[in-house]
Amino acid sequence: MKALWMLGLAVILVPGAAAQQDSVRRRGDTAEAERLRGQIEQRFAERVREELNLTQDQTTRLRASQEKFGTRRRALMRQQMERRRALERQMQPGVAANADSVRKLLDGIQAGRAEMLKIDQEESRELAGYLTPVQQARFERMRGRLMQRVGEMRRERHRAGQGHGHDGPRAPRRRPI
């Protein structure tokens, strides 16, 4: 069951994946993604509440913080993914890149990194208002492990989607600069 919800998290955290589907399927995927995200967030919140021994007030406040900052973080991640895709399109081998477009995309990616740091700092300040330092550190560790696992699953899914048909590691694909 744990693998199922982790796979669901990996699927829903890949921004733009639904953009490759037709509009009818996209609506269904979005609804399913929202349902899975809700289940995963609920299970993660329960685990956090238990492991951190949170009070009801802390649990309520943490849920509100996660909703607020999670929404901002996901929107920014989608923007960053689109910027990276646009940059990849510009940098295709054999196609002359538009220097102005590349500069704007690079600036946007850098601004996105700064915005993500700002979100993280704001969230940390808010969490410090109702979690003890130990609870906050444990929460960050739990979330970090979850995100690490999501990244692993995303990479596995990406490799499987490329049709390599083997489970072993493969050499990174190199693109000309």
Side-chain angles (χ1 to χ4, degrees):
M1 190 62 166
K2 182 179 177 184
L4 176 63
W5 73 267
M6 290 300 293
L7 178 60
L9 183 60
V11 169
I12 62 176
L13 290 178
V14 178
Q20 298 172 359
Q21 307 297 325
D22 65 351
S23 63
V24 173
R25 186 167 178 184
R26 196 175 320 143
R27 284 190 294 271
D29 287 351
T30 300
E32 180 69 6
E34 288 300 318
R35 186 184 69 74
L36 287 172
R37 181 183 291 122
Q39 287 179 350
I40 291 163
E41 288 175 353
Q42 181 179 358
R43 287 182 185 140
F44 184 70
E46 289 169 8
R47 205 167 138 230
V48 166
R49 183 183 53 77
E50 290 171 9
E51 289 191 30
L52 302 184
N53 197 25
L54 299 179
T55 66
Q56 185 59 45
D57 180 58
Q58 287 175 313
T59 301
T60 301
R61 293 174 77 179
L62 182 60
R63 184 174 294 125
S65 294
Q66 291 303 284
E67 223 173 274
K68 176 173 70 175
F69 292 105
T71 299
R72 288 175 58 193
R73 196 174 274 117
R74 281 189 299 275
L76 183 57
M77 288 170 67
R78 280 189 294 274
Q79 289 174 349
Q80 289 290 82
M81 182 66 74
E82 287 304 315
R83 289 173 180 137
R84 287 186 195 100
R85 285 183 181 151
L87 185 59
E88 281 295 315
R89 286 190 300 270
Q90 283 289 325
M91 302 307 296
Q92 290 180 23
V95 178
N98 179 307
D100 289 337
S101 293
V102 169
R103 172 54 36 213
K104 287 178 185 176
L105 289 167
L106 290 172
D107 290 347
I109 290 169
Q110 186 63 36
R113 287 183 190 135
E115 182 63 22
M116 188 63 79
L117 179 60
K118 181 180 171 188
I119 291 170
D120 289 344
Q121 290 170 337
E122 288 176 23
E123 183 181 37
S124 288
R125 278 193 296 274
E126 187 167 305
L127 294 177
Y130 56 86
L131 295 179
T132 68
V134 173
Q135 287 174 322
Q136 193 172 354
R138 285 183 179 159
F139 175 73
E140 291 298 329
R141 192 173 72 202
M142 288 175 74
R143 185 167 57 182
R145 283 193 308 246
L146 176 65
M147 297 314 296
Q148 181 180 8
R149 180 67 181 129
V150 166
E152 290 168 5
M153 294 184 81
R154 189 182 292 158
R155 287 185 294 278
E156 289 169 12
R157 197 171 68 96
H158 178 71
R159 278 194 299 265
Q162 291 180 341
H164 292 288
H166 68 328
D167 293 335
R170 64 182 186 96
R173 199 168 28 150
R174 302 227 186 256
R175 298 192 90 163
I177 295 179

